[in-house]
Amino acid sequence: MKRNCLIAAAALWVAHAASAQDSLLWSEEFESGAQPDERIWTYDIGFGVNGWGNRELQYYTDEPENVSIEDGMLHIRAVSHPSGRPFTSGRIKTEDKLTILYGTIEARIKVPDLADGLWPAFWTLGNNFSEVGWPMCGELDIMEMGNSAAISDGVINRRVGSTAHWDNAGEYANFGQYLDAPADLS
C-alpha cells in the first residue's frame, strides 16, 4: 500500500481512524529548538524545473530566515532579496522519515495576507514520489490558498481549497473543492 509523507508548515496531529477514541499516534508541537527536528523533517532545497511544477519564483532553502521555530510555532517565510537575487522560502517534508497509511491529520495554520502573490499550502504526497513521480504517487492538498482564480474573483484572502491529484490509467486526474469564507482568513 502507498503511504503518504507530509509536506507541512504547521503543527500536526495524527490519529488512527479505526480507533473508537481516535488515539493520538504522533504530534509535532514545535516547542523546542530553532529548526524542525531533523529526525522527522527534511528540506526541499533548490529551484525545481518549471518552479517545482507551479511556476514558483522562489528558491527553497534551509536558512533560518526562511524556516525557523519561534515561540512554539513553525515559521516559513518568503523573503524578497535586493540586487536581483531570487525570492527565497522554505519547504519541509517527512519523506522517508514519517509515513501515515490511515488516520486523521490536523493542523493549526496561520496564513499571511496573500495580496502579494503568496501561495501557502499544506499537503501530502505518496512516499513513493521519488520512485514514480507525480501524479502517480498521488497528492492530497489539505489546505491551499492564493490561486489565480481567487485573485481574479477578488477573494484571495477568503478562498481555501482542497484537491486530490492522482494518475488514472496513465492520465492525470483530480478532484477539488473550495470554500469562500465570509471573513478574511489572514
Side-chain angles (χ1 to χ4, degrees), residues 85-115:
R85 282 185 54 209
F87 292 94
T88 59
S89 187
R91 182 168 155 152
I92 63 172
K93 60 185 181 178
T94 65
E95 185 176 13
D96 296 326
K97 295 186 176 204
L98 175 72
T99 59
I100 297 155
L101 184 57
Y102 298 109
T104 299
I105 299 171
E106 297 180 3
R108 292 182 311 262
I109 301 172
K110 181 178 178 184
V111 295
D113 180 353
L114 305 177

Side-chain angles (χ1 to χ4, degrees), residues 34-72:
Q35 296 294 124
D37 183 344
E38 63 187 27
R39 294 171 298 170
I40 300 295
W41 301 99
T42 188
Y43 296 86
D44 263 342
I45 296 177
F47 184 82
V49 175
N50 194 21
W52 296 96
N54 293 316
R55 297 181 307 275
E56 298 172 30
L57 301 176
Q58 70 270 17
Y59 184 92
Y60 288 109
T61 80
D62 59 357
E63 296 296 321
E65 74 176 350
N66 297 120
V67 180
S68 63
I69 296 174
E70 301 165 22
D71 301 320

Side-chain angles (χ1 to χ4, degrees), residues 6-13 26-30 41 72-76 92 105-110 121-122 143:
L6 303 173
I7 301 176
L12 176 72
W13 296 267
W26 177 76
S27 174
E28 174 66 276
E29 301 297 331
F30 301 107
W41 301 99
M73 291 182 280
L74 173 67
H75 292 263
I76 296 181
I92 63 172
I105 299 171
E106 297 180 3
R108 292 182 311 262
I109 301 172
K110 181 178 178 184
F122 176 64
M143 184 284 306

